[in-house]
Amino acid sequence: MIQKLIEEITKKNAPVVVGLDPMLSYVPKQIQKAAFEEFGETLEGAAEAIWQFNKGIVDAACDLIPAVKPQIAMYEQFGIPGMVAFQKTVAYCKEKGLIVIADIKRGDIGSTSAAYAVGHLGKVTVGSKSYAVFDEDFATVNPYLGSDGVKPFLEVCKEQDKGIFVLIKTSNPSSGEFQDQKVDGVPLYELVGRKVAAWGEECMDGDYSNVGCVIGATYPEMGKIMRQKLPKSYILVPGYGAQGGTAKDLAVYFNEDGL
Amino acid sequence: MIQKLIEEITKKNAPVVVGLDPMLSYVPKQIQKAAFEEFGETLEGAAEAIWQFNKGIVDAACDLIPAVKPQIAMYEQFGIPGMVAFQKTVAYCKEKGLIVIADIKRGDIGSTSAAYAVGHLGKVTVGSKSYAVFDEDFATVNPYLGSDGVKPFLEVCKEQDKGIFVLIKTSNPSSGEFQDQKVDGVPLYELVGRKVAAWGEECMDGDYSNVGCVIGATYPEMGKIMRQKLPKSYILVPGYGAQGGTAKDLAVYFNEDGL
């Protein structure tokens, strides 16, 4: 799957991912108004508003960008109608040729991570049938539980040619509270990075691995170091714009091949 | 909310939580058969089977136990029908007087954690209206992103009298890969525990805090130490039974008041 992402990035000459994290308050008033007129100020109305907002963004941007990153929390908060909007957004983006990186940050004990992995990236079995449920291309994964929580995702990545991005160093201000703590002189995020390299070896797809990592744009000095330590991993870099990351900060996250 | 849990534990004389983590393969064949006859071997059929299975457990156990812990991944893997079954299960358990500890292990940057917090424990705003969506009593939270990811949950806990259990030391075999790493001689799970104590101070509810923690039954020696270091926090102890934790292992997780 990482090769497909690379192809799309190269074809569109744009190593960018557009976030689809619609806060209802940021959705233009006329879109909200139309949705509320049809469904009332209900969860269905909210879901319709964010879906229409997303659709507008996707229609406008799909020829220019390779990938989108919907943040599931922004849909999940609106319950079942929100989850329907999430699923519809994922399907629509794929229909438009976009690669979908679902920002779900799941991670649990083995059997539970397996359920998340099949539900989001793989196929879930029901009796003699199996179904691709959310069918995203990539998902973000939280590493706090260690290998047990990540391996079920690796299995699905191998079987279905999908990918994951494991959180290493997140973009938020307090990410250092635990992630920067030093273990024998090595920060925790780097220890997680070493595991990402090992997990990634199992899931190579050409020169890069289907196991990438997440490092916030707000920490470019750490991004620079980790770029060197993880030459085969794609780095998903959130935090550009609203969170304070600048274009200049981003340069260090690229390899010499521009990827 | 922790006081309500304590009351129920005392009333029913049972400091136990029953997991509602239905793996479809463990659901009795006759329940699966009935569900598949009605809905086919579909996601709806799977959701119906786990809902009927849950209903049977809840009907049988609700007079004996204070609380249940549904694991959302087991529902989410079946997509929208699965999420409907999750929501129905939460509502039914509450109707039967049970306290619902939703094992969701969410955690993200601030604005995103806020969406999870309002969606699962609080109320989400749509125009001039607000809705309690999943409306669980407690939720589990992943601490990897630090305070930013936890504080939105604290806000909702204070406003709505709800609670959280923060992952400290999880029950799975590889939990030590990162959680046991020592920072200046102190294991990471203990550093997280110190933060839990600080977060908990903000959310006291009688003698205990609405901010508890998760420590696996499979690590009783760590549970014993953390019990002493976190006297005001409830400890949610998964891993009894299938994962290898025994009744004897559990004794150390209690305070002298038996709670």
Side-chain angles (χ1 to χ4, degrees), chain A residues 41 76 80 87 105-106 108 116 120 128 131 142 144-145 147-148 168 172-174 177 179 181 183, chain B residues 41 76 80 87 105-106 108 116 120 128 131 142 144-145 147-148 168 172-174 177 179 181 183:
Chain A
E41 287 180 342
E76 194 171 314
I80 305 301
Q87 195 170 34
K105 294 191 179 66
R106 302 304 196 242
D108 210 298
Y116 282 129
H120 284 278
S128 60
Y131 298 91
N142 184 308
Y144 189 67
L145 284 86
S147 297
D148 300 333
I168 287 188
N172 58 306
S174 77
E177 279 177 13
Q179 296 165 22
Q181 294 293 337
V183 178
Chain B
E41 288 180 341
E76 193 171 315
I80 305 302
Q87 196 170 33
K105 293 189 179 66
R106 303 303 196 240
D108 210 299
Y116 282 129
H120 284 278
S128 60
Y131 297 91
N142 184 309
Y144 190 67
L145 284 86
S147 297
D148 300 334
I168 288 188
N172 58 306
S174 76
E177 279 177 14
Q179 297 165 21
Q181 294 293 337
V183 178

Side-chain angles (χ1 to χ4, degrees), chain A residues 10-49:
Chain A
T10 310
K11 200 162 75 184
K12 290 172 176 167
N13 193 25
V16 296
V17 173
V18 169
L20 295 174
D21 318 342
M23 287 204 196
L24 192 54
S25 55
Y26 289 3
V27 173
K29 286 292 169 211
Q30 74 275 17
I31 295 179
Q32 288 192 46
K33 195 166 165 263
F36 293 164
E37 272 171 16
E38 193 173 352
F39 295 97
E41 287 180 342
T42 59
L43 299 177
E44 288 76 12
E48 173 68 11

